[in-house]
Amino acid sequence: MKTAEIRRRWLEFFASKQHTVVPSASLISEDPSLLFTVAGMVPFIPYMSGLVPAPYPRATSVQKCIRTLDIEEVGKTTRHGTFFQMNGNFSFGDYFKREAISYAWEFLTSPQAKGGLELNPELLWVTVYKDDDEAIELWREIADIPMARIQRLGMKDNFWSTGQPGPAGPCSEIYYDRGPEYGIEGGPEADDNRYIEIWNLVFMQYERGKGLGKDDFEILGELPKKNIDTGMGLERVAFLMQGVENLYEIDEVRPVLDLAAQLANKTYGALVEDDVRLRVVADHIRSALMLIGDGVSPGNDGRGYVLRRLLRRSIRAMRLMGVNEPVIGKLITVSKDAMKDSYPELEADFKRIITSAVAEEEAFLRTLTSGSLVLDQAIADVKSSKGSILGGESAFLLHDTYGFPIDLTLEIAEEAGLSVDRDGFTSLMTEQRDRAKADAREKKLGGTDLSVYSAFRALGTTKFTGYEELESDGKVLGLVHDGQSVKVLSHGSVGEIILDTTSLYAESGGQAADAGTIRGEGFELEVLDVQKPVKGLVSHKVLVRSGEVSVNSKAVTAVDEDWRLGACQAHSATHVLHAALRQVLGPSALQSGSYNKPGYLRLDFAWNQALSIETKSELEEVSNLAIRRDLAVSSNLMSQAEAKEFGAVALFGETYDELVRVIQIGGPWSRELCGGTHVSRSSQIGLLSLGAEASVGSGARRIEAFVGMEAFRSLTLERSLVARLTDLAKVPAAALEEKLQQTFEELRNVQKRLALIEQQALQGRIPAWVASAKVIGGQKVAVADLGIVDGADVLRTIGAGLRAELGEASVSIVSALLADKPAVLVAVGSAAIARGVKAGALVKLASAVLGGGGGGKDDMAQGGGTDSSKLSLAIEAIEKALA
RNA sequence: GGGGACUUAGCUCAGUUGGUAGAGCACCUGCUUUGCAAGCAGGGGGUCAGGGGUUCGACCCCCCUAGUCUCCA
């Protein structure tokens, strides 16, 4: 049975049991502390914890997941995959243990003709938590499983909790027996390779207290509303049902493995090492495909780095099998074809996906090329010093700084007859890891504790009224001072206030927080910042201007009207500019982030080269035309699916609720998902003028713009600048550029000529200096004082000129003033050098007198100091030394 | 978020006790050659990423900023 078919049956089965079918959430987790969605229940956590009321009593999903913790194990075992799909059914205070067990059993064992999987019940085993007699009873009653195939396991295996206070409960896991050829008898307890876990049922029935880790805590009592959370590994069931050995050989993965084998000219199954490499490629390529599909691009931190590693590890594995040509394009195409049944959006978006993946491969091939040069040099160095071991530092440097993978280093060094100090490498690696971890720990401790906000959030969400009105009545739900919940904030103090209703916009979606005030009986607060520390809860940072505010008081939030108008202008202008970018550059110029506040906006977008002046003008023209056309701006709430069909642009890396707000400017002219505040007609934006444009990393650029009056001011500023320049240059504005160019060129020519003339003038004085040369200690000594010069190289040419005239038995002393500092240069002929006269030593003597230092070579040296009045004393010191 | 490396002529890169910025390719001029490929001679081209500091003096040492590459979390 195909994987997509198992998936389809799953959703249909639970839909028939009144479950709401929820589409898979993005791999990009909503929780900023999690890089990815790592389990099927992640999108349902708020409903499980009771923070948010569940919109449906029961739900089912097939969730895309990424886990990279065991990335090194991929390919070596049957079960480690970085991407997998988790089938789940969930109950939020609705059904419990009996139904969960009953549904699971029915789905697994009922005939395929009736929509089940028709697994042989004789091969199914279950484990339960050791004290959960209820579960055992139910398994006996519903499934009639003999006690011999039910095992009791402890806290570690069969008790679920998050590791923190909150819901917890026992689990029951279902295993499939692959048969004696895969391991020993004795059930899952004895051998988890022969007995494969396929489904975990979690019965959330307790409230757990504080305590450390997963098995040392206190149970506080029963939950008022009990939940069911289950997870069935789709890949595991698929490989069992498809009669293959592991998840790399299922229909959604195998084609990639086969193509990789073909490209490398290898036979799968022939050599263990190559098999591992082939599986790595098959797994990583699929994960990369799904990640890029969800909007991740390769980068050097966070999610982007994980994606980069997946792609680079694939390329490295291919290299180790002897393939040096680009392969990613072919592999990812095959992977897409294998996955598109379940994820049709991959096909629609494939051009973007393959472009991104192939670009990363090209970048890595460049890295490998430059790394090879460094490695070759390191190997040559070891060999020339008759060594046989490449040091751990070299291997680490290659890996850390040049991105050259360690196993390629190992292989190339081996080919060159060298071994590599692996222990040295590993310990440097550990050091770097510890450094990063220590830092992360410090950040976590220093970071804010969100529990105080979570407590308020449990009471409900903050109602935002700011789309409709600027002033709203509310009630003070809580006050926070120094991270602690307090009852009162007094005059002059700064703290946070949480209300049931607010008209003040919290910073989000790139829009800055509103400015305004909060007033009530006997107090007035100035709003400094507005944030959403946890989803759904707005916290206002305020300064108490007068009086004191206490919990439960009534309060009126008031947005500063001018500020809000500016914010609306800037935010709508951001949409206009985004639309203009995509119109001028093409639809791939997608916004990747933005920031806007009254008068100013900044937009990051996907593009890989600088914008020309012409392009920028075109952008301004398209934007300002749209503003001038007075387009209507509207906002509509709709489901994500509707919005998508509607063609609204969603931003990658953002997560949205199921109900989304779509902002349109001029109907289809611009359609974006957005929670911000906007003007009602485009003409209210007034004017948009572009500012700086720059790179913010590979494939990403940032453009700034001014909006409304600020745009006008930025333009007048430029106009007055041009006016002043034309005034200075005495030409009309149109001729300014040419005039400047001309002037610069003339200036350069004149400077050159001047230098030449000065030098000639000085050179003309050489005969006089030569004539006045004295003979001291057997060599001719000439002294030349150049006066004020503007570069040290003049001294050099004169010194060299004098020496040429005086012959080899000579010492030439040149002095000058560089600005106000005395400088002295000594040039010595070769015959004098032979007699032991050293320019460096003479200069040191002189410059010591001048209060400085100096040095150089035997034939020419220069130095200087700070006291120009001692210049003649310094020269005398040299003459004395020569005598 | 924390590290490492890099940034020098149009391009690819050299440049150590801090003391005269170079090579190859490309470009320009002349010569040579039936032509092509090239050869010979000469020449132009540099705020040494930007800013600050130390120093008599900084491509070089120190600090800051930016860009590029890279590893780790």
Side-chain angles (χ1 to χ4, degrees):
Chain A
M1 188 181 289
K2 292 224 171 190
T3 310
E5 173 66 16
I6 302 171
R7 176 191 149 93
R8 194 181 58 75
R9 280 171 186 251
W10 172 277
L11 294 175
E12 277 174 11
F13 176 83
F14 281 101
S16 78
K17 309 287 182 194
Q18 291 77 48
H19 286 63
T20 302
V21 174
V22 178
S24 174
S26 166
L27 283 169
I28 299 171
S29 150
E30 205 171 89
D31 180 346
S33 67
L34 274 178
L35 283 182
F36 299 113
T37 300
V38 293
M41 56 90 72
V42 167
F44 300 101
I45 289 175
Y47 312 144
M48 299 280 182
S49 61
L51 277 183
V52 181
Y56 24 63
R58 39 179 87 180
T60 184
S61 69
V62 176
Q63 175 63 44
K64 302 179 271 189
C65 303
I66 289 267
R67 282 185 201 176
T68 53
L69 206 62
D70 294 326
I71 195 168
E72 299 294 334
E73 295 303 312
V74 168
K76 296 176 187 165
T77 73
T78 51
R79 301 186 306 273
H80 286 103
T82 52
F83 172 85
F84 58 94
Q85 297 157 87
M86 186 78 93
N87 296 11
N89 57 291
F90 308 92
S91 155
F92 311 108
D94 186 33
Y95 64 81
F96 201 55
K97 227 174 262 190
R98 169 178 290 276
E99 293 85 345
I101 289 174
S102 161
Y103 291 152
W105 189 254
E106 183 184 342
F107 182 66
L108 290 175
T109 59
S110 64
Q112 295 195 1
K114 290 192 172 170
L117 297 184
E118 206 173 337
L119 293 177
N120 181 354
E122 311 269 307
L123 298 179
L124 295 176
W125 288 60
V126 297
T127 64
V128 298
Y129 177 58
K130 60 181 184 350
D131 298 334
D132 195 357
D133 293 330
E134 187 191 358
I136 293 182
E137 290 294 317
L138 288 167
W139 277 116
R140 298 278 300 131
E141 180 197 325
I142 294 164
D144 195 24
I145 296 186
M147 281 307 288
R149 295 211 312 273
I150 300 179
Q151 295 182 322
R152 292 171 189 257
L153 294 178
M155 205 79 169
K156 189 168 152 290
D157 294 294
N158 275 18
F159 198 90
W160 178 88
S161 87
T162 59
Q164 284 165 354
C171 326
S172 178
E173 298 180 326
I174 306 170
Y175 286 76
Y176 183 87
D177 179 5
R178 292 206 282 168
E181 62 271 36
Y182 290 96
I184 56 170
E185 299 280 334
E189 204 174 15
D191 186 339
D192 63 359
N193 186 45
R194 166 172 170 175
Y195 302 91
I196 295 281
E197 179 204 333
I198 54 176
W199 200 338
N200 184 9
L201 314 178
V202 180
F203 312 124
M204 272 180 224
Q205 59 189 120
Y206 303 117
E207 172 95 36
R208 70 159 269 187
K210 286 193 175 156
L212 292 171
K214 294 265 180 191
D215 53 7
D216 180 21
F217 51 83
E218 188 185 1
I219 300 295
L220 298 178
E222 299 256 327
L223 280 175
K225 290 179 88 180
K226 295 174 185 170
N227 301 319
I228 289 292
D229 156 33
T230 88
M232 183 182 89
L234 179 56
E235 277 75 9
R236 289 187 185 186
V237 173
F239 92 68
L240 293 172
M241 292 196 62
Q242 291 173 15
V244 294
E245 294 297 313
N246 52 58
L247 64 91
Y248 312 103
E249 296 173 20
I250 64 169
D251 60 321
E252 286 186 345
V253 185
R254 182 67 190 247
V256 182
L257 191 152
D258 286 337
L259 176 63
Q262 187 198 323
L263 290 169
N265 202 15
K266 301 280 182 190
T267 308
Y268 182 58
L271 195 69
V272 178
E273 287 161 25
D274 285 340
D275 288 353
V276 172
R277 289 169 186 153
L278 290 169
R279 292 188 203 122
V280 164
V281 173
D283 171 83
H284 288 9
I285 290 289
R286 183 166 77 136
S287 304
L289 168 78
M290 300 308 293
L291 278 176
I292 304 174
D294 272 355
V296 180
S297 358
N300 40 11
D301 57 359
R303 300 178 180 115
Y305 183 59
V306 171
L307 170 59
R308 165 164 290 170
R309 259 174 49 153
L310 290 167
L311 284 166
R312 294 192 170 194
R313 282 171 57 92
S314 311
I315 297 164
R316 183 181 66 176
M318 292 302 284
R319 283 236 155 182
L320 289 168
M321 290 188 294
V323 182
N324 293 324
E325 298 76 43
V327 289
I328 294 295
K330 291 177 189 167
L331 291 170
I332 207 161
T333 304
V334 167
S335 188
K336 177 262 298 177
D337 289 337
M339 296 298 291
K340 69 182 175 193
D341 275 356
S342 297
Y343 303 94
E345 65 272 21
L346 292 172
E347 182 87 272
D349 218 7
F350 192 59
K351 202 174 156 209
R352 180 184 62 80
I353 296 171
I354 193 171
T355 307
S356 175
V358 167
E360 177 61 17
E361 178 172 43
E362 282 165 3
F364 188 47
L365 293 181
R366 278 197 298 276
T367 297
L368 288 179
T369 309
S370 62
S372 298
L373 294 175
V374 179
L375 177 57
D376 289 347
Q377 186 58 49
I379 288 173
D381 287 347
V382 174
K383 282 191 162 174
S384 69
S385 60
K386 300 271 182 277
S388 63
I389 300 171
L390 185 72
E393 317 81 65
S394 301
F396 181 71
L397 181 80
L398 272 161
H399 164 81
D400 183 56
T401 301
Y402 298 99
F404 201 80
I406 180 65
D407 31 13
L408 288 181
T409 302
L410 287 172
E411 189 166 280
I412 294 168
E414 193 180 321
E415 276 169 20
L418 297 182
S419 62
V420 176
D421 174 14
R422 286 208 76 158
D423 291 344
F425 174 83
T426 315
S427 80
L428 286 167
M429 205 67 200
T430 315
E431 245 176 67
Q432 135 134 308
R433 231 172 245 138
D434 290 347
R435 208 169 33 233
K437 271 187 189 154
D439 177 70
R441 209 173 301 128
E442 205 164 301
K443 285 279 153 10
K444 215 169 207 171
L445 287 176
T448 46
D449 182 5
L450 295 180
S451 59
V452 57
Y453 302 110
S454 305
F456 289 122
R457 177 62 183 80
L459 304 173
T461 56
T462 313
K463 189 178 173 211
F464 177 63
T465 54
Y467 294 135
E468 298 90 23
E469 58 189 25
L470 293 176
E471 291 207 6
S472 292
D473 297 329
K475 192 177 123 185
V476 180
L477 295 182
L479 297 163
V480 178
H481 187 68
D482 283 340
Q484 300 290 321
S485 176
V486 294
K487 293 279 169 229
V488 179
L489 279 178
S490 52
H491 177 76
S493 65
V494 172
E496 289 172 61
I497 176 168
I498 291 151
L499 304 161
D500 63 342
T501 303
T502 183
S503 57
L504 290 151
Y505 185 81
E507 177 174 345
S508 64
Q511 182 176 333
D514 271 337
T517 56
I518 300 174
R519 295 184 310 270
E521 191 119 347
F523 65 86
E524 181 165 340
L525 316 173
E526 180 185 343
V527 175
L528 305 173
D529 193 10
V530 190
Q531 293 289 333
K532 290 186 198 165
V534 293
K535 206 171 175 323
L537 186 82
V538 175
S539 170
H540 311 73
K541 187 177 172 189
V542 293
L543 167 66
V544 183
R545 278 271 173 228
S546 67
E548 63 173 37
V549 55
S550 52
V551 175
N552 290 327
S553 316
K554 289 193 169 169
V556 179
T557 56
V559 182
D560 181 311
E561 205 171 324
D562 285 343
W563 172 279
R564 172 61 79 74
L565 176 62
C568 291
Q569 286 175 327
H571 201 153
S572 298
T574 308
H575 286 220
V576 167
L577 180 58
H578 186 208
L581 274 167
R582 303 187 72 211
Q583 201 173 314
V584 172
L585 300 175
S588 65
L590 261 182
Q591 176 179 334
S592 56
S594 71
Y595 173 75
N596 61 77
K597 61 178 184 183
Y600 173 85
L601 71 90
R602 192 170 72 203
L603 199 159
D604 294 347
F605 61 103
W607 197 246
N608 52 22
Q609 54 185 319
L611 302 184
S612 66
I613 294 174
E614 292 77 31
T615 309
K616 282 164 76 172
S617 303
E618 196 179 343
L619 284 171
E620 279 179 328
E621 185 157 333
V622 171
S623 303
N624 283 301
L625 267 174
I627 291 168
R628 220 181 66 95
R629 273 164 55 206
D630 193 26
L631 302 170
V633 180
S634 66
S635 85
N636 295 297
L637 283 174
M638 55 183 82
S639 75
Q640 273 204 45
E642 281 173 313
K644 202 168 171 183
E645 201 167 314
F646 203 51
V649 179
L651 300 185
F652 285 119
E654 289 283 321
T655 48
Y656 297 97
D657 291 333
E658 276 175 44
L659 213 56
V660 293
R661 191 159 167 265
V662 175
I663 299 294
Q664 295 188 77
I665 302 177
W669 193 79
S670 163
R671 281 179 173 149
E672 289 191 39
L673 303 195
C674 178
T677 62
H678 289 270
V679 296
S680 55
R681 303 202 66 92
S682 69
S683 60
Q684 289 167 351
I685 295 168
L687 184 65
L688 181 147
S689 112
L690 293 180
E693 190 260 346
S695 162
V696 281
S698 71
R701 304 204 58 94
R702 167 170 298 173
I703 191 160
E704 291 181 321
F706 299 100
V707 181
M709 277 309 286
E710 284 303 317
F712 178 72
R713 284 189 196 106
S714 81
L715 291 176
T716 49
L717 208 64
E718 275 181 25
R719 197 183 59 173
S720 68
L721 178 68
V722 171
R724 286 198 302 275
L725 288 178
T726 52
D727 204 37
L728 273 175
K730 310 260 189 283
V731 292
L736 192 57
E737 190 180 352
E738 203 189 336
K739 174 79 178 178
L740 279 176
Q741 246 168 15
Q742 231 174 29
T743 309
F744 283 135
E745 194 168 337
E746 266 173 43
L747 185 64
R748 260 166 62 167
N749 289 338
V750 169
Q751 275 174 339
K752 269 189 196 167
R753 267 183 53 202
L754 184 65
L756 200 69
I757 291 168
E758 269 182 351
Q759 202 165 320
Q760 277 170 353
L762 290 169
Q763 263 162 352
R765 294 169 63 189
I766 286 179
W769 287 320
V770 169
S772 66
K774 295 171 272 190
V775 175
I776 302 176
Q779 58 252 314
K780 290 188 211 166
V781 178
V783 177
D785 183 8
L786 306 186
I788 297 171
V789 297
D790 53 13
D793 48 342
V794 182
L795 279 84
R796 265 190 295 275
T797 36
I798 298 303
L802 280 173
R803 183 172 57 188
E805 290 295 316
L806 290 168
E808 294 305 330
S810 71
V811 176
S812 312
I813 304 167
V814 186
S815 67
L817 287 177
L818 286 170
D820 59 337
K821 283 180 178 168
V824 58
L825 174 132
V826 175
V828 181
S830 56
I833 295 173
R835 295 178 49 197
V837 178
K838 289 191 162 113
L842 293 173
V843 160
K844 279 204 170 74
L845 224 54
S847 52
V849 175
L850 295 169
K857 294 168 191 162
D858 286 353
D859 63 330
M860 194 178 280
Q862 56 273 34
T866 48
D867 190 353
S868 58
S869 67
K870 298 217 171 86
L871 205 44
S872 51
L873 281 176
I875 289 165
E876 271 171 37
I878 297 178
E879 289 178 339
K880 222 179 202 172
L882 288 166

